[in-house]
Amino acid sequence: MAEEQQNQNQINIELSEEIAEGQYANLAMIAHSSSEFVIDFIRLMPGLPKAKVKSRVVITPEHAKRLLAALADNIKKYEQSFGDIKQANETPSFPMNFGGTVGEA
């Protein structure tokens, strides 16, 4: 019975070749409403006047909180293996607001 229960709880996740290649982003902008969080992953290139949103992910507040915990756990494990992640103190010098409450990552 334990094996049946395990099979019922498994999720088959499909990852296409195109999605598996990923998108490079070096800026994330986050907005939220009462029912969702919108995360835009952006590629900002030095010397170019325009940054491009490469991917937008819309999630529920509950999933946003799970994502926060998963990122914190993964960063902790990464730093245990490879050392502290150093952060630059520079911030982009262009308007960051695209509607709603905004955070940066």
Side-chain angles (χ1 to χ4, degrees), residues 14-86:
E14 183 179 323
L15 179 63
S16 70
E17 192 173 322
E18 180 185 2
I19 297 297
E21 289 179 15
Q23 285 286 338
Y24 177 76
N26 54 5
L27 179 66
M29 293 176 51
I30 304 166
H32 67 272
S33 69
S34 62
S35 60
E36 62 195 18
F37 278 72
V38 178
I39 308 167
D40 283 342
F41 293 94
I42 300 162
R43 183 179 303 161
L44 176 64
M45 301 306 286
L48 295 179
K50 191 185 259 187
K52 193 167 200 176
V53 174
K54 300 306 286 183
S55 181
R56 172 174 278 186
V57 178
V58 182
I59 58 178
T60 65
E62 180 182 1
H63 286 106
K65 199 162 191 176
R66 286 184 188 159
L67 176 61
L68 176 65
L71 279 171
D73 182 54
N74 276 270
I75 288 170
K76 179 181 168 188
K77 289 174 182 175
Y78 176 94
E79 289 184 330
Q80 286 171 347
S81 296
F82 303 106
D84 288 348
I85 298 170
K86 293 175 180 44

